[in-house]
């Protein structure tokens, strides 16, 4: 009983394509990437200041 082989991975990819369609996959991956980044930042104790800083908070030059 080993891990996932090539046939299993191909089957999973085909199932995802059927369920979500080709156009939704980039959106899903983008959201997944954001979630992973936020999770890593939270683990490291760093706040994501780029998304919480508004235009009013930035110094005017």
């Amino acid at each position: 009983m080993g891990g996932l082989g090539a046939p299993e991975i191909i089957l999973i990819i085909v199932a995802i394509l059927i369920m979500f369609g080709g156009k939704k996959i980039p959106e899903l991956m983008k959201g997944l990437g954001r979630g992973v980044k936020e999770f890593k930042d939270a683990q490291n104790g760093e706040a994501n200041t780029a998304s919480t800083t508004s235009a009013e908070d930035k110094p005017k030059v």
Side-chain angles (χ1 to χ4, degrees):
M1 302 247 168
L4 292 177
E8 290 86 3
I9 293 173
I10 292 171
L11 182 64
I12 291 170
I13 292 171
V14 169
I16 290 172
L17 282 171
I18 291 171
M19 288 180 4
F20 297 108
K23 293 184 179 182
K24 280 286 195 184
I25 299 218
E27 294 175 26
L28 292 171
M29 293 299 113
K30 187 176 181 182
L32 181 65
R34 280 190 201 142
V36 170
K37 183 181 183 313
E38 289 177 10
F39 179 75
K40 286 182 180 180
D41 288 346
Q43 272 189 328
N44 295 333
E46 300 171 3
N48 189 358
T49 58
S51 65
T52 58
T53 304
S54 66
E56 295 94 29
D57 296 337
K58 294 181 182 176
K60 295 180 182 177
V61 180

